[in-house]
Amino acid sequence: MPDDAIRCDACPVLCYIKPGRTGACDRYGNHDGQLVRLDPHVVLDRAVSRGDSIVPFLDRDRDWDGNIVSGPENFVTAIGAGTTYPDYKPAPFIISSAVQGVDMVTVVTEGIFSYCGVKLKIDTDRHLGPETNLVRAQGEPIGHVTTSEYGSQMLSLGGVRHLTGGSRREGTVTCETLLNLCNGKAVELGIDEGATVLVQAGKPPVVDGVQEERMRVGCGSATIGMFAKQWFGKVDEVVVVDDHITGVLSEHQAGKLLGIPETGIKIKGHRSTPGRYFRVAEPGTAWGGTNIEAPLSILQDFNPKIAWPRLRLLMVSTTGEHHAYFELDEDLQPVEKDLPSSLSESVTRIKENCEPALCTVLFMGGAGGSLRAGVTENPVRLTHAVRDALTRVTCGGTPVYVWPGGGITFMVDVSRMPENGFGYVPTPALVAPIEFTLKLSDYAALGGYMDHVRSLDSMMSDERRRHLSARENNPWPLSSPTRPRPER
Ligand code: SF4
């Protein structure tokens, strides 16, 4: 170790850092012999004057007049707060504040998460790849395709096996990809036997170079149910092509109730219930999330005993992106024609009813391990306090969903968090902000580090802290301190 280097002890890497240099993660540096956290420490501010957040008048602080006050206007997040290591040391900041006359404490730390990942929801019907197939970044396996949801494809990325259970490069690429996604950056992912997709939180996905615009309005059957009345009298048959359920108007219950007669249409695929067909084609990136480029390929010949010349047929996908209009000739063969104006309105209506396609990134981490020891000397009590709703968990001041059951396994929508709230360490693991807020009396009862509690006011005097406006769509993390204690 050079004489003038200092050792960073904020993670197990224990870097020696020379003056003017940074450690391996770029989070800490040697500034004139002092170990400093290089990113600004973020404080959320809900005062109107600081930014564009609007706070109702009655929620604002008032001078003490003997009545209950609403609480402080600042919340110290864990973004830029630093980490203590090993875990038995108290968290970097344990801050007290009075909220509606109740003494509260917020324990603030940047957690190092080896057990973490991203759940990625991609709003598209296009087939991205078979379920369970590997998802790759820079050629390295970083996750897999998981069960799709209504109108969306789902990827599960990261996790301890990719971070630390494979090659060094696999771990590094996994960590880098998670970090970029969580910090709102665009990432290109390739799926084995599937598509290449560009994803970014809050932005439309780009599948094989084509930007997705709309989520489907529903499956083919649901689309028939929604729009049957609008087609009634304007067309004799409608087929809504969809990879999940392809709908056929004349056979569907919606068509039956309207009295639409049989047309003699025959669909390839597996008939589920009347007017609803599974597996009309293979999954793909064309019509309705199938591999169909030519819609007539899913039709067999019309039944000559039922069909008639000049029968009008509309075929449309579940987003309205693909559509085609046909009329039967004298031999009962479909002939493509221009879409009549009376039907173009219904196709436009399908498009109108589709929501914009977006990518949603949920960070998921497990704080049920050693991180708890920085909060209390008796870690399991913190788990119980979270489960009993006595302790609120936030991530950069953003509400999280805590999974029931053991541990403190939580998920947070990264697009609701302050920007660039995540970091990494080269072990490799992700660094995520986490705050625990609870009553001061409860904190004492669960074995908290009471001699490390400092006041919120003492934090505010440091000008190096960066004040950000609290987001309007997030609940204020210091509100309603007196939550009911559920039965155990
Ligand atoms: S990797 Fe970062 S946090 Fe870990 S010891 Fe080095 S500088 Fe400190």
Side-chain angles (χ1 to χ4, degrees), residues 276-293:
R276 301 167 76 251
Y277 290 83
F278 295 146
R279 299 193 299 275
V280 296
E282 294 299 316
T285 57
W287 279 62
T290 69
N291 62 347
I292 295 169
E293 300 283 355

Side-chain angles (χ1 to χ4, degrees), residues 145-165:
V145 180
T146 187
T147 330
S148 61
E149 299 298 341
Y150 203 107
S152 308
Q153 311 295 322
M154 305 292 292
L155 307 183
S156 180
L157 307 180
V160 71
R161 200 171 67 78
H162 290 296
L163 279 168
T164 56

Side-chain angles (χ1 to χ4, degrees), residues 92-254:
F93 297 104
I94 303 173
I95 303 156
S96 67
S97 54
V99 180
Q100 293 180 352
V102 179
D103 288 329
M104 303 293 293
V105 68
T106 302
V107 184
V108 170
T109 187
E110 287 182 303
I112 298 173
F113 290 88
S114 303
Y115 281 84
C116 72
V118 153
K119 305 298 175 209
L120 184 54
K121 173 172 166 281
I122 303 172
D123 299 337
T124 180
D125 272 350
R126 291 177 219 279
H127 179 67
L128 299 183
E131 211 168 288
T132 75
N133 272 28
L134 283 174
V135 177
R136 295 177 187 271
Q138 301 170 45
E140 293 294 327
I142 64 152
H144 63 273
V145 180
T146 187
T147 330
S148 61
E149 299 298 341
Y150 203 107
S152 308
Q153 311 295 322
M154 305 292 292
L155 307 183
S156 180
L157 307 180
V160 71
R161 200 171 67 78
H162 290 296
L163 279 168
T164 56
S167 69
R168 182 79 195 165
R169 182 169 154 75
E170 178 180 339
T172 305
V173 171
T174 301
C175 188
E176 183 185 329
T177 307
L178 296 180
L179 180 65
N180 285 335
L181 281 172
C182 289
N183 279 340
K185 299 196 172 77
V187 165
E188 186 176 274
L189 303 172
I191 295 162
D192 285 4
E193 300 170 49
T196 298
V197 56
L198 188 70
V199 292
Q200 184 175 8
K203 296 279 179 1
V206 180
V207 182
D208 286 337
V210 179
Q211 181 170 308
E212 190 62 278
E213 290 183 9
R214 287 178 286 273
M215 292 180 77
R216 67 177 182 173
V217 68
C219 69
S221 171
T223 308
I224 295 273
M226 278 185 263
F227 297 100
K229 260 191 172 176
Q230 299 182 34
W231 290 319
F232 183 59
K234 297 174 183 163
V235 67
D236 300 305
E237 185 65 278
V238 179
V239 177
V240 182
V241 180
D242 179 42
D243 180 48
H244 177 210
I245 301 173
T246 289
V248 178
L249 177 65
S250 65
E251 298 177 6
H252 194 277
Q253 184 66 3

